[in-house]
Amino acid sequence: MRTHYEDLHVTEDAPDEVIRAAYRALSLKHHPDTSGDRPQSKWKMQRINDAYAVLADTGKRADYDAMLRRQRNPGPAPVQPPVRTARSSRRLHPHAQRNIQHTPSWLRVGLGWLSDARLALPLVAILWLVVLWMVRR
């Protein structure tokens, strides 16, 4: 991506006088009236005008510099919580969904309940206690 600084051939810490001088020099060079019939002169002049409009205004330049800093150092991406639907807690694991058409309905319901950690963990704990009780008998 080209920046306005690159369009005017100045550095990012250039003072206003340097930006103004660069704009004048480039506009004389690329102005459609003075550059002849070059097809790119109108396009280049538009880019020079846009760059000068932003960099000549101190408020717009500060906003533009902040936008450039954000693009160069984006930081961590915001974490979005997963979208939960009404039945999302009863969904099967993706690997278990492959052959779901060939599974009996009673088994599909049981697998759906076991795929929910809120139901599976207490059931596993109860089964573990039953096994321990049977072993000690």
Side-chain angles (χ1 to χ4, degrees):
M1 176 183 113
R2 287 189 58 92
T3 65
H4 291 319
Y5 295 105
E6 292 171 351
D7 289 340
L8 290 181
H9 303 289
V10 295
T11 61
E12 292 185 15
D13 59 347
D16 293 337
E17 297 82 23
V18 173
I19 291 173
R20 190 175 308 113
Y23 170 72
R24 286 184 180 183
L26 289 172
S27 63
L28 286 175
K29 180 179 178 183
H30 295 291
H31 196 277
D33 293 341
T34 60
S35 65
D37 292 334
R38 288 188 292 178
Q40 292 183 350
S41 63
K42 184 177 178 182
W43 176 77
K44 284 185 180 182
M45 194 62 201
Q46 182 64 41
R47 287 192 67 119
I48 291 168
N49 285 334
D50 291 343
Y52 183 71
V54 171
L55 298 181
D57 185 6
T58 56
K60 289 181 183 178
R61 184 175 180 184
D63 292 341
Y64 183 72
D65 289 341
M67 186 265 309
L68 283 178
R69 280 192 300 276
R70 281 193 308 272
Q71 284 183 347
R72 290 177 183 152
N73 302 321
V79 177
Q80 296 183 0
V83 178
R84 294 186 61 92
T85 60
R87 295 187 48 131
S88 67
S89 64
R90 301 270 188 231
R91 291 202 179 142
L92 295 174
H93 191 272
H95 298 299
Q97 289 180 353
R98 283 190 203 136
N99 298 322
I100 197 163
Q101 295 87 8
H102 307 294
T103 310
S105 61
W106 61 269
L107 187 56
R108 272 187 274 155
V109 171
L111 289 175
W113 286 353
L114 287 177
S115 66
D116 186 6
R118 292 176 295 179
L119 295 174
L121 291 177
L123 286 176
V124 169
I126 291 170
L127 287 174
W128 181 251
L129 290 173
V130 169
V131 168
L132 284 177
W133 179 71
M134 290 177 67
V135 168
R136 290 192 178 217
R137 261 179 127 203

